[in-house]
Amino acid sequence: MAMYNLSRNNAGAFTLLGIPGLEQYHIWISIPFCFVYLVAFVGNSILLYLIAVERSLHAPMFFFLSMLAITDLILSTTCAPKTLTIFWLGPQEISFPGCLTQLFFVHYSFVLDSAILLAMAFDRYVAICSPLRYTMILTSRTIIKIALGSSFRSFCVLVPCVFLVNRLPFCRTHIIPHTYCEHIGVARLACADISINIWYGFCVPMMTVIMDVVLIAVSYTLILSAVFRLPSRDARQKALGTCGSHVCVILMFYIPAFFSILAHRFGHNVPRTFHIMFANLYVIIPPALNPIVYGVKTKQIRDRVILLLFPKRA
């Protein structure tokens, strides 16, 4: 209780510096950063609009895709506006509750994204390996249970991080050399032992995401096994085509995510500027690319986007 009170008494506003070492280039960095964020915001908003208004897109795959779009909007909007303010106006203050809120949604979006990609892999597995039972397995009730279970699991994994930071006393500096609040970056400012923060913040979310990766790999192993047993080459190509966009999104999500996590945990010789630059790119580039990938590789969405943007030509 004494530590909790000390934390509350000392945790005033924090100051976000931006990208240390690149302060003179902030205004130039903000141009592509702002453009990519706008692409992410507009692309995911269009995707959600199309899925909501087009009855032909009211299918489990597109419901999970809408969840992915919402999560990407949360992730990018949690960080990008504050980051742009820092780039344009210089270091910015953020309150301790605001920092905790940002910290929670950044990490929550990451774990929830992983859970949604697992749900989408399960959807593709059922569609290809048990097509005749697809509507029986993925009923509306089952989809809602998957959505609620994924959200609840992500919430339970990340809430302890908020309490672990909230208990810390901050009696040294309140300056964060970053563009947004993240768990370990904030915890390292505390004048107390943060071993539990380091181990929980690395092991629990990491194990959760690794479990998702293993299950996705199992799903796609079974999918490929089923696809290559199909007698027709056209049938094999069609089955693989339905998974192509999902595989692209999986690679765009997990490869930079694991690189960033491992570099942050073990890459002590990697310059801090690189860590922070990469962390900023990660919160906007996958959200910007996901709707583009699905728009290009999914015929139903591609046709609706053309109809929406070029109604006369359509």
Side-chain angles (χ1 to χ4, degrees):
M1 182 62 71
M3 181 173 286
Y4 176 83
N5 290 335
L6 183 60
S7 171
R8 298 300 297 170
N9 290 336
N10 287 281
F14 290 97
T15 300
L16 295 166
L17 292 184
I19 305 176
L22 297 179
E23 290 87 354
Q24 66 271 34
Y25 302 111
H26 275 178
I27 192 67
W28 298 107
I29 296 172
S30 71
I31 297 172
F33 189 91
C34 182
F35 175 75
V36 175
Y37 170 63
L38 289 176
V39 170
F41 186 85
V42 173
N44 285 289
S45 298
I46 290 175
L47 199 58
L48 287 171
Y49 171 77
L50 292 175
I51 293 173
V53 301
E54 292 290 338
R55 293 187 61 83
S56 61
L57 300 181
H58 293 179
M61 180 179 74
F62 298 108
F63 177 81
F64 293 133
L65 181 56
S66 67
M67 285 185 61
L68 186 68
I70 292 171
T71 308
D72 284 343
L73 282 174
I74 292 172
L75 175 61
S76 57
T77 305
T78 297
C79 302
K82 191 72 173 180
T83 299
L84 287 171
T85 304
I86 295 169
F87 287 161
W88 291 333
L89 303 176
Q92 296 292 306
E93 285 194 346
I94 184 171
S95 67
F96 185 62
C99 190
L100 290 180
T101 302
Q102 190 179 56
L103 176 157
F104 171 78
F105 279 110
V106 167
H107 296 297
Y108 173 79
S109 301
F110 171 75
V111 177
L112 183 55
D113 260 345
S114 180
I116 295 169
L117 291 176
L118 174 59
M120 296 172 80
F122 176 69
D123 170 82
R124 293 299 84 203
Y125 164 76
V126 176
I128 292 174
C129 297
S130 301
L132 299 179
R133 300 180 58 209
Y134 183 78
T135 55
M136 296 173 56
I137 295 174
L138 285 172
T139 62
S140 298
R141 179 174 293 183
T142 301
I143 293 169
I144 292 172
K145 286 181 179 179
I146 292 173
L148 293 177
S150 300
S151 302
F152 184 70
R153 187 199 71 163
S154 304
F155 180 83
C156 291
V157 168
L158 267 305
V159 161
C161 290
V162 176
F163 286 102
L164 287 173
V165 173
N166 189 61
R167 73 184 177 89
L168 294 172
F170 296 92
C171 51
R172 293 199 295 263
T173 180
H174 283 197
I175 296 175
I176 302 175
H178 208 309
T179 56
Y180 59 84
C181 296
E182 54 91 20
H183 177 211
I184 300 301
V186 176
R188 283 178 175 155
L189 301 180
C191 47
D193 180 30
I194 61 168
S195 299
I196 187 172
N197 293 75
I198 293 173
W199 286 109
Y200 185 91
F202 177 74
C203 293
V204 177
M206 191 71 168
M207 291 302 104
T208 303
V209 172
I210 287 176
M211 181 178 68
D212 292 343
V213 172
V214 171
L215 293 175
I216 290 172
V218 170
S219 297
Y220 271 95
T221 300
L222 296 174
I223 287 171
L224 290 175
S225 176
V227 166
F228 288 116
R229 288 199 303 267
L230 294 174
S232 165
R233 181 180 178 182
D234 290 340
R236 289 196 295 268
Q237 289 181 340
K238 183 177 179 181
L240 291 173
T242 63
C243 300
S245 52
H246 184 228
V247 171
C248 290
V249 170
I250 287 173
L251 295 176
M252 288 189 304
F253 176 79
Y254 284 113
I255 291 176
F258 280 119
F259 176 81
S260 179
I261 291 171
L262 294 175
H264 191 77
R265 183 68 181 86
F266 301 108
H268 302 297
N269 295 325
V270 179
R272 177 186 291 178
T273 300
F274 175 82
H275 282 298
I276 298 172
M277 179 66 81
F278 193 87
N280 278 280
L281 294 177
Y282 182 72
V283 299
I284 57 168
I285 289 183
L289 292 180
N290 287 348
I292 294 174
V293 168
Y294 275 100
V296 171
K297 296 186 71 66
T298 307
K299 185 177 185 301
Q300 298 100 311
I301 295 176
R302 184 171 65 245
D303 292 344
R304 299 311 184 280
V305 170
I306 293 173
L307 183 63
L308 179 67
L309 299 179
F310 310 103
K312 291 183 180 180
R313 182 181 301 180

